[in-house]
Each structure stands twice: as C-alpha cells, then as structure tokens.
C-alpha cells in the first residue's frame, strides 16, 4: 500500500495519518451558496433546536441528570438513546466550528455538563446499565449498545477537539476517560468481545488520531479483528445481522444490518490505513464494489429488508419495500469517504454524491423539523400526516415525522450537514481535488508551502457549469483535479488554453495559476432515462428518469395538472420521447392505462382500458411528500 504521510489537524470528521488524499477542514473551505448552503442554514437555525427540544421532551437528556443524582428509576427511551444526545453534541460542535454561533456554544457547554455528571469514576458512562434495577455492565453486548454509544461520544469529542481545541467544557476529557475504560476492559488481556452494533471502531480510530493515543487505534483494530469470530450470541436473524458470521477480511460483500455493516466497514478502513494493512483494504474495496454493483438502489440507498433493516441478497431491490434507512446512507458516505481518501478513486465520490442528493437530502422536510427514517422508492397509498407533538413509534411512517421512538436519523443528518464542507475537496502533495460541486471558497496550502486559493461558482445540480477561479497568483505550478461523474457523457473542460472533451473519472489541469484564471467544467445535466440491470427482478420492464445526480419521481399531486387519475399505478413511461425541462421542471411523456377489473387477476389478456398520453412534471426525489399526502414512484413501467 502506497501512502503519503500527513500531519493534518484539519477540522474534519476524518483525518487519516496517511493516504492518497488529505481532507480539508472547515477552516479551509466554506460552502457559500446554493443547494447545500440552504440546507446547512436550515440545519443550523431549525433542525438543531428541534432535536434538542425533542431530546428534552422525551426525557433522553434527563436520564443523565437522574443518573447523576442517583434517582434514575423509570429511564426513558431505548437502550441506545444516549447516543442521540452525543450525536447532537457532535452536530453542535461542527456547527459552532462552521458559524461560530455563541449561543449554540453556550447550549453545548450546558449539555456537556449534564452528560459529565453521569460518568462513573472509572470512566464508564451509560444511563441504561449498571445501576440498581438495570442490567449489569456489558451484560447484553448483542443488543445493549453500550460500546455503540461510546462511539458517538468519541466522535462528538473529536468534533469539539478539532473545531475548538482550547475549549474547557470537558467533553474531550469525558471521552478520553471512557476510551481508557474501554481499553482496560476489552483490550489485550481483557474481555474478548465486540458490540452488536458497530460504531466504536471508526470512533476509536479517529479519537486516537485526534489525541495522538495510539492505543485507541489499536483497540479499534482489535475490535475489527474479533468481528466475525462468533463472540456474539446467535440470534433469530443470524450472526450476519451484526457481521459476526465472517471475519472482515474474508467477506466479499456487505450483509446484515445496513447501518452496522457500513459503520464497521468505515472503521475497518481506518484500521487498514493506520496499520498499513493492504490485504484488509483490498478486501474492503471488493466489498464496496460488490455492494454498489448488486445491493444498492438507484438513489444510493442501501437495505431492502424491513424486518431486520438489512441488505437483501444480490439484486433483491424492490422499490416498494425499500428500507433504505437514512442512517445507512450516512454510513455509506462514511465508508466511501474513507476509501476515497485512501485510494483517490472518483467512483467513491460518485456514490457519495448520489447518496447525498437522494438519501440524505430526502430525509428532512423543507423546514428541517420532520424526517424520513426509511426512504421508499414507491409509495402505493397516500401517506398520513403525523401529529406534530407526538413521537412516531414506527420507522416506516408514510410521511416525514417530527420524531421517532428510535430517532437515530435526525441527529445523524444534522451532524453530516454541519460538517458537509469537509467532504467537498482534498489536497495531495501537488494540488487540489474537488469532489463535490457547490458554490464555495477554498483557501489552503500544500505541505511544501504552496498556497491554493480558489472560488467555485455553480448552479449545480440544476446547472452543469462549474467555474473555478483562482483568487491569488501562485509562485509555483500546482494541479487542479475535478471529478467527472460516471453519468456525464459529453462533459467538456475549458481552460485558458481552450476547450476539450473529457471522460468520466477525473480531469486535471496543472499550471502556475494567475489571479483570475478560470477553469470551467461543464457537465451535461439534461434529463435522461435509466434502466436497471435485468437481474433486478422487481423493476424489470421499468425505467427511471435522472437529471445529473438527481433521481426524479412521479408524484400524484402533479397528475391533477394534466387532468388524469391521481393513481401513479396507471402510468406507463414512453421512452421514445426524451424527457425535457420546461419552466425549470423536468417533464416526461406518459401513457395512462387502467387495467380492466375482473374476478381473477391472471390470464392471457393483460390489456387495460384507456390509452391517452400526456406530459407530466416530475419531482426531484428528495423533494417528494413536501406538498401533502401523495403516492409516488421512481421506477415506472415502460409503455
């Protein structure tokens, strides 16, 4: 494995000690406008307060107060509810680093003090175990989530350490005491076990990087090595549910619970990089490739089983039963980002982009105060608007809900949006690589001191022109590399020397940039029709419409505009007529055919009734169900 050593201390969630690429932090890059800046603003002004309100309302923060006071009797929330408090702290920390919000910093400190009161003298920290009337510590590693919760605590501490290294609120000390406790309990000579829900693995690795404590990285490596050796008890879903069936380096595809699988894989990449384990990294690369090729939805979503929130078998991707949990999307981004930093392959950034626009952006409502936990690709019945003042007990609610009995997704979205700028660009020894396109301001330097200052202007994803302007002149040449998405056939690059076609993958320009020099990548974002691999039985004979990185859908609220049935089941896409943009919206040509009613739904005659056609506007998938109850589908039968 060829690795470039780096000593970066950037304000970023992932900062490997070496790799093909170095991440930029919040101090190096700012998203200044467009699609993602608007979502970051909603996240900061609406979502963080909303999550804080619900954590208080449901009593999940109060658990820490009661634990500190010795009065924790009827604890509220699931056994893993502590983790939602930690994820909120992480989201707050990244947002404070992004916007320097003084009021948020005050609330952050107050919340840390409440958490601190519940920590035991030996570093153990949980409101769900270890007290009178509760199970003993680590008595239920299959389902107890104690180590999982530590993982989110550690990631919150990393965010605080990297954005406010001189803060004296105590969160980093809390995390270090807990990590020391974990190493003492589960390290060499300690208990040979793992957690049923992976998460502590990437968190320990990152805490080790951030603090310089190698033993935290070594503990992460130990947990990864133990996984798949049967340390957990068998359960009704089988040990594959929590990836304890096959050692990580022997697996060929992600399986089991989709969130657990992605978190484990992210941590395993961290371990492979920090220990220079080429064999492990190669195995994870194979798993990523096979999972993307066989077990991933067109949206980037992963997980097709509702019962166990898991991956299905190869090519089992039913749109109407898509679980596609939002947290699995976050985990997929974590996994792909680490592989991108290690290997610099633009395919990883392609999947990150697809998942960001079609999973992460789909979960929150426009006002940032209700969320999808699961992300179906086909809604057969109009949804039911949930009450605004009650938590929804079921993850698969038919419309976005303000809160869930299991509310892992809202704070997961919040922490990702708050830190999103750190996923936009990287550097290596010779230049800058831009992976995600948004209006942005980048100011950084290479290890040898060469400064890089560029401004990115774009209307992406609706406009395919990405204009990169040098803000300063450089004394020495450096290389600018831009990702060309796999769907972007016909892309062109304009430099001061002229315009040329470019192929999917990436394109580089090396020069001594003068202030005002412009490099412009133009990606074709005209709408296009896509079909699935024929082995995906559930959508054989169907097609979907995409535009740039966006997956589109037909939604019943738009059918009234053309005076047809409000049932999307009656639609048949006419692929002979290319979809086009009209007044900013993509429209496609559909036939409308309602099957004839009969006493038996099978036979030789499958003809329906009707037969008219019309152009219907499509909705960007991430925007569906923002206009009230509706039916919707991404994959549409072809006429």
């Amino acid at each position: 494995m060829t690795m470039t050593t780096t000593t970066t201390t950037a304000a970023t969630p992932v900062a490997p000690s070496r790799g093909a690429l170095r991440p930029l932090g919040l101090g190096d890059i700012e998203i200044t406008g467009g699609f993602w800046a608007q979502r970051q603003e909603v996240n900061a002004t609406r979502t963080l307060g909303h999550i804080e309100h619900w954590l208080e309302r449901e009593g999940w923060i109060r658990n820490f107060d009661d634990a500190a006071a010795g009065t924790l009797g009827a604890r509220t929330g699931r056994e893993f509810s502590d983790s939602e408090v930690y994820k909120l702290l992480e989201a707050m920390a990244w947002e404070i680093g992004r916007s320097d919000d003084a009021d948020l910093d005050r609330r952050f400190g107050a919340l840390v003090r409440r958490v601190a009161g519940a920590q035991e003298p030996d570093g153990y920290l949980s409101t769900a175990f270890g007290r009178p009337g509760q199970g003993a510590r680590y008595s239920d590693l299959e389902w107890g989530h104690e180590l999982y919760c530590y993982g989110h605590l550690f990631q919150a501490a990393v965010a605080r350490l990297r954005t406010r290294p001189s803060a004296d609120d105590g969160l980093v000390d809390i995390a270090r005491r807990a990590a020391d406790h974990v190493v003492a309990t589960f390290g060499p000579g300690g208990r040979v076990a793992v957690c049923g829900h992976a998460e502590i693995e990437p968190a320990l690795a990152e805490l080790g990087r951030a603090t310089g404590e190698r033993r935290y990285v070594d503990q992460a490596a130990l947990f990864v090595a133990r996984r798949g050796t049967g340390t957990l008890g068998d359960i009704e879903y089988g040990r594959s549910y929590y990836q304890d069936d096959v050692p990580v380096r022997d697996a060929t595809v992600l399986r089991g619970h989709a969130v657990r699988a992605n978190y484990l894989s992210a941590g395993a990449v961290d371990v492979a990089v920090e220990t220079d384990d080429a064999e492990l990294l190669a195995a994870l690369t194979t798993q990523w490739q096979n999972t993307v090729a066989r077990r991933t939805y067109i949206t980037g979503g992963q997980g097709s089983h509702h019962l166990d929130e898991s991956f299905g078998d190869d090519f089992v991707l039913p749109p109407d039963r898509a679980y596609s949990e939002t947290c699995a999307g976050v985990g997929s981004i974590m996994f792909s980002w680490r592989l991108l930093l290690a290997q610099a392959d633009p395919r990883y950034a392609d999947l990150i982009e697809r998942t960001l626009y079609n999973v992460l952006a789909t979960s929150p409502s426009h006002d940032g105060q209700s969320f999808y936990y699961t992300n179906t690709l086909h809604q057969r019945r109009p949804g039911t608007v949930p009450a605004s003042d009650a938590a929804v007990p079921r993850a698969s609610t038919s419309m976005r809900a303000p809160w869930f009995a299991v509310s892992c997704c809202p704070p997961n979205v919040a922490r990702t949006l708050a830190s999103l700028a750190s996923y936009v660009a990287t550097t290596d020894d010779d230049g800058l690589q831009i992976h995600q396109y948004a209006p942005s301001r980048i100011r950084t330097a290479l290890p040898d001191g060469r400064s890089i200052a560029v401004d990115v202007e774009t209307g992406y994803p609706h406009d395919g022109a990405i204009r990169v302007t040098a803000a300063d002149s450089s004394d020495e040449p450096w290389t600018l590399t831009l990702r060309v998405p796999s769907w972007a056939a016909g892309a062109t690059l304009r430099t001061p020397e002229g315009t040329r076609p470019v192929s999917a993958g990436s394109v580089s320009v090396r020069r001594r940039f003068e202030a005002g020099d412009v490099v412009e990548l133009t990606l074709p974002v005209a709408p296009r029709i896509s079909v699935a691999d024929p082995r995906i039985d559930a959508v054989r004979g169907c097609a979907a419409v995409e535009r740039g990185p966006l997956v589109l859908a037909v939604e019943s609220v738009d059918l009234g505009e053309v005076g047809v049935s409000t049932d999307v089941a009656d639609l048949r896409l006419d692929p002979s007529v290319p979809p086009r943009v009209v007044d900013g919206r993509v429209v496609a040509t559909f036939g409308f055919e309602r099957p004839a009613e009969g006493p038996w739904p099978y036979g030789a005659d499958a003809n329906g009734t009707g037969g008219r056609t019309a152009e219907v506007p499509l909705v960007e998938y991430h925007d569906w169900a923002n206009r009230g109850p509706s039916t919707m589908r991404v994959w549409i039968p072809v006429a």
Side-chain angles (χ1 to χ4, degrees):
M1 186 191 311
T2 301
M3 289 287 171
T4 299
T5 301
T6 177
T7 56
T8 182
T9 55
T12 176
V14 185
S17 63
R18 52 188 166 179
L21 304 176
R22 301 180 185 89
L24 297 185
L26 301 189
D28 301 307
I29 182 167
E30 176 188 5
I31 298 174
T32 57
F35 186 98
W36 291 115
Q38 189 272 334
R39 280 153 179 79
Q40 285 191 313
E41 180 65 16
V42 171
N43 188 57
T45 59
R46 305 296 296 277
T47 300
L48 292 181
H50 176 84
I51 293 170
E52 189 176 9
H53 161 77
W54 276 93
L55 288 173
E56 291 281 19
R57 183 185 186 280
E58 296 295 291
W60 300 357
I61 299 176
R62 190 176 63 249
N63 288 333
F64 290 92
D65 302 334
D66 293 344
T71 58
L72 186 58
R75 180 186 178 278
T76 63
R78 292 287 299 273
E79 62 276 10
F80 42 76
S81 65
D82 290 359
S83 70
E84 315 313 345
V85 179
Y86 303 148
K87 276 184 278 186
L88 173 62
L89 282 170
E90 183 186 352
M92 286 177 158
W94 292 124
E95 182 56 35
I96 293 164
R98 189 185 77 89
S99 62
D100 199 23
D101 186 323
D103 178 65
L104 191 62
D105 194 64
R106 177 191 60 77
R107 288 155 47 198
F108 178 94
L111 185 52
V112 169
R113 287 190 291 275
R114 296 170 72 179
V115 168
Q119 189 166 33
E120 301 290 340
D122 67 349
Y124 180 81
L125 178 56
S126 172
T127 70
F129 291 88
R131 291 178 175 81
Q134 297 181 330
R137 294 179 179 187
Y138 309 120
S139 58
D140 187 7
L141 284 172
E142 287 76 16
W143 300 107
H145 290 76
E146 288 153 285
L147 297 177
Y148 165 86
C149 289
Y150 285 143
H152 285 297
L153 171 66
F154 299 162
Q155 287 174 321
V158 167
R160 189 59 164 174
L161 183 59
R162 290 197 173 135
T163 55
R164 291 291 184 272
S166 60
D168 61 356
D169 52 73
L171 180 61
V172 176
D173 289 339
I174 294 168
R176 293 187 70 150
R177 288 197 299 273
D180 291 344
H181 162 78
V182 169
V183 173
T185 305
F186 296 94
R191 183 172 176 181
V192 178
V194 297
C195 184
H197 196 311
E199 160 60 17
I200 196 170
E201 296 85 352
L204 271 171
E206 208 58 48
L207 186 65
R209 290 164 171 166
T211 62
E213 289 283 1
R214 176 70 190 197
R215 57 205 177 93
Y216 299 161
V217 178
D218 291 342
Q219 184 63 46
L222 196 55
F223 280 141
V224 169
R226 288 173 181 165
R227 184 76 58 165
T229 61
T231 67
L232 294 168
D234 204 359
I235 57 173
E236 60 180 308
Y237 305 131
R239 285 197 175 94
S240 63
Y241 174 79
Y242 32 49
Q243 297 77 49
D244 198 35
D245 57 328
V246 177
V248 175
R249 67 180 65 245
D250 294 337
T252 59
V253 69
L254 298 193
R255 70 241 177 264
H257 189 274
V259 183
R260 286 167 164 84
N262 276 293
Y263 283 175
L264 175 62
S265 299
V269 174
D270 290 331
V271 167
V273 168
E274 297 304 322
T275 61
D276 200 17
D277 190 334
E279 179 189 42
L280 178 58
L281 187 62
L284 292 159
T285 302
T286 297
Q287 291 166 37
W288 185 93
Q289 292 170 340
N290 289 339
T291 302
V292 171
R294 305 172 187 173
R295 299 185 176 187
T296 300
Y297 284 97
I298 191 173
T299 57
Q302 295 179 342
S304 61
H305 286 185
H306 281 236
L307 180 64
D308 53 357
E309 301 181 312
S310 74
F311 289 96
D313 291 333
D314 290 351
F315 306 108
V316 177
L317 296 164
D320 55 344
R321 294 296 294 164
Y323 200 72
S324 184
E325 184 181 338
T326 300
C327 287
V330 171
S332 172
I333 292 168
M334 291 169 58
F335 183 21
S336 297
W337 179 244
R338 285 161 170 80
L339 286 173
L340 177 64
L341 294 177
Q343 300 173 344
D345 190 328
R347 293 179 304 163
Y348 302 127
D350 277 0
L351 183 62
I352 290 171
E353 175 181 69
R354 183 173 292 273
T355 308
L356 283 172
Y357 279 110
N358 303 296
V359 179
L360 188 85
T362 305
S363 177
S365 59
H366 287 167
D367 67 2
Q369 296 190 319
S370 58
F371 307 86
Y372 273 132
Y373 185 113
T374 65
N375 295 280
T376 185
L377 276 68
H378 185 174
Q379 181 71 33
R380 292 181 179 272
R381 293 184 294 176
T384 302
V385 179
S388 61
D389 60 351
V392 171
R394 296 183 60 195
S396 54
T397 180
S398 58
M399 294 193 71
R400 295 176 182 89
W403 201 247
F404 302 90
V406 176
S407 264
C408 49
C409 295
N412 229 351
V413 170
R415 68 178 181 137
T416 307
L417 286 174
S419 61
L420 189 62
S422 64
Y423 294 92
V424 169
T426 58
T427 60
D428 60 12
D429 286 346
D430 192 50
L432 173 74
Q433 305 81 39
I434 301 180
H435 307 286
Q436 305 300 330
Y437 297 123
S440 51
R441 180 181 185 274
I442 302 174
R443 302 290 186 272
T444 191
L446 301 183
D448 62 7
R450 282 175 290 172
S451 63
I452 293 176
V454 300
D455 296 313
V456 181
E457 301 170 86
T458 183
Y460 195 80
H462 303 106
D463 184 335
I466 297 103
R467 182 183 176 93
V468 183
T469 304
D472 291 326
S473 298
S474 54
D475 295 331
E476 299 292 335
W478 57 270
T479 302
L480 171 67
T481 301
L482 303 174
R483 179 176 60 90
V484 183
S486 58
W487 47 260
T492 61
L493 184 75
R494 180 172 65 86
T495 69
E497 287 71 41
T499 300
R500 58 187 172 95
V502 293
S503 301
S506 62
V507 60
S508 296
V509 177
R510 179 174 172 79
R511 61 185 291 115
R512 189 177 71 80
F513 286 89
E514 298 286 349
D517 280 356
V518 173
V519 173
E520 185 168 325
L521 176 67
T522 300
L523 303 175
V525 293
R528 63 191 186 277
I529 292 176
S530 299
V531 296
D533 186 303
R535 289 171 290 184
I536 304 177
D537 293 323
V539 294
R540 190 180 293 126
C542 297
V545 181
E546 300 182 83
R547 184 186 184 192
L550 303 173
V551 173
L552 307 181
V554 61
E555 191 174 8
S556 59
V557 293
D558 291 313
L559 299 184
E561 295 182 19
V562 293
V564 299
S565 164
T566 56
D567 190 349
V568 297
D570 297 343
L571 271 62
R572 303 293 182 269
L573 179 66
D574 185 348
S576 69
V577 182
R580 60 195 182 97
V581 179
V582 177
D583 296 328
R585 292 194 67 180
V586 175
V587 299
T589 299
F590 293 91
F592 299 85
E593 186 173 279
R594 179 176 292 277
E597 297 294 337
W600 181 242
Y602 309 98
D605 185 3
N607 293 328
T609 60
R612 60 162 296 190
T613 62
E615 283 192 329
V616 177
L618 302 179
V619 66
E620 293 171 6
Y621 174 73
H622 62 75
D623 265 348
W624 90 275
N626 271 292
R627 296 172 292 175
S630 64
T631 58
M632 174 278 300
R633 67 187 305 167
V634 168
W635 289 104
I636 306 149
V638 172

